[in-house]
Amino acid sequence: MGGPWPPLVESCVDKETAKAAASALSPKIMSAKTLAVLPLTGQTTLEEVGRFLYPFMGKNLVAKPTHASGGIVFLNQDPSKIVKRTVEMFQLARDNFFFQHYEAQYRNLAKKILVEESLGEGPPPDFRFYCARGKTLFCQYDRDRFGDHRQALFTVPEFQPISIRDVFPLPDPLPGKPPHWDDLLRTASELSAPFDFVRVDLYDLPEGVFFSEFTFTPNAAAFPFSDPVFSRRLLEEVLNLNRIS
């Protein structure tokens, strides 16, 4: 949590530059196309952010801070919802996200707002791979993150349920193995290769595997798994992989 974090990690948590980092590590990976970026200064006003977003309203796009977690605005929503969410995003984006949870990788990031294409009509399920030095340890499945959030853990490579809870309730029924499962595993391995620990977040879409983000301190290290034995085994495996590397 406290760092110091190398420049590669900082580039991987900036939501604009993370796409280039992912492409360099896994050349076949796809990601949402960036349409525009607004640099923020101490003098940037909410009105300026509104003017920046106005040409994109009503389209299947999203806006979000590049230097924080959350604050997503879906630009194809009702205008009143867009306005409300834009105010919330601006309040988040104008501050240094480091002071939210003291995740030091955010401390020196430039403040920007990004507009990118939305992948599908709504947020697709996330496949989040906990990895160390190119080895995937397990997969966390997240569905409907902005509504009835459901979550489950699965073994790799078998995709069998792990019988412990994370933060949110289990989906009912549990999902089946995704169509591009082997590609998801390969991509997670490639993207995690330089790092002692990282959660690689991916989407499985009809076109193939899409990059979502890198997460180096999941849940700001504030929410442990429900099973302490599982957590200890995970820590031991991460430490062993780093001794080997």
Side-chain angles (χ1 to χ4, degrees):
M1 288 283 287
W5 294 91
L8 176 59
V9 167
E10 292 185 354
S11 71
C12 286
V13 294
D14 180 306
K15 290 179 172 57
E16 179 187 13
T17 57
K19 297 178 186 180
S23 182
L25 292 167
S26 182
K28 292 183 179 180
I29 191 69
M30 295 177 279
S31 59
K33 181 180 178 182
T34 298
L35 279 77
V37 178
L38 174 68
L40 303 178
T41 70
Q43 287 72 47
T44 303
T45 65
L46 178 60
E47 289 73 18
E48 289 175 297
V49 173
R51 288 196 294 271
F52 168 70
L53 296 180
Y54 183 77
F56 305 108
M57 290 181 61
K59 300 178 181 179
N60 195 30
L61 305 170
V62 298
K64 54 189 176 184
T66 62
H67 54 290
S69 179
I72 297 177
V73 180
F74 294 92
L75 296 172
N76 60 351
Q77 290 185 327
D78 178 88
S80 62
K81 290 185 178 180
I82 295 175
V83 170
K84 179 177 182 295
R85 291 292 294 160
T86 298
V87 172
E88 294 170 353
M89 177 181 66
F90 179 67
Q91 291 171 342
L92 175 67
R94 65 185 178 181
D95 296 329
N96 189 328
F97 189 71
F98 164 73
F99 293 105
Q100 291 270 347
H101 304 290
Y102 298 98
E103 298 170 277
Q105 64 269 38
Y106 292 100
R107 184 197 300 268
N108 299 316
L109 296 187
K111 298 183 178 72
K112 297 171 288 184
I113 290 175
L114 169 80
V115 175
E116 67 181 14
E117 62 181 347
S118 180
L119 299 176
E121 293 302 316
D126 284 83
F127 293 90
R128 298 175 164 184
F129 293 90
Y130 285 65
C131 305
R133 297 296 177 186
K135 181 177 181 180
T136 56
L137 305 173
F138 66 94
C139 175
Q140 174 185 306
Y141 169 87
D142 285 76
R143 186 191 74 196
D144 197 13
R145 289 183 294 117
F146 303 98
D148 182 22
H149 193 164
R150 299 293 174 130
Q151 199 171 62
L153 306 182
F154 293 89
T155 63
V156 295
E158 304 86 2
F159 200 74
Q160 293 299 310
I162 298 174
S163 58
I164 66 169
R165 274 197 58 184
D166 197 353
V167 178
F168 296 95
L170 290 170
D172 186 17
L174 290 172
K177 183 185 289 187
H180 300 100
W181 178 243
D182 290 342
D183 290 336
L184 287 164
L185 289 175
R186 173 187 54 78
T187 303
S189 176
E190 291 174 349
L191 293 180
S192 64
F195 305 114
D196 54 9
F197 173 81
V198 65
R199 196 188 74 199
V200 176
D201 299 355
L202 303 172
Y203 301 123
D204 188 345
L205 301 180
E207 302 92 329
V209 175
F210 276 71
F211 172 71
S212 173
E213 63 184 26
F214 294 97
T215 302
F216 293 92
T217 49
N219 299 318
F223 299 102
F225 294 107
S226 61
D227 183 352
V229 174
F230 177 82
S231 296
R232 285 196 294 270
R233 288 176 178 169
L234 174 63
L235 174 60
E236 289 168 2
E237 188 163 7
V238 170
L239 292 173
N240 285 334
L241 287 167
N242 281 281
R243 290 189 192 104
I244 292 170
S245 64

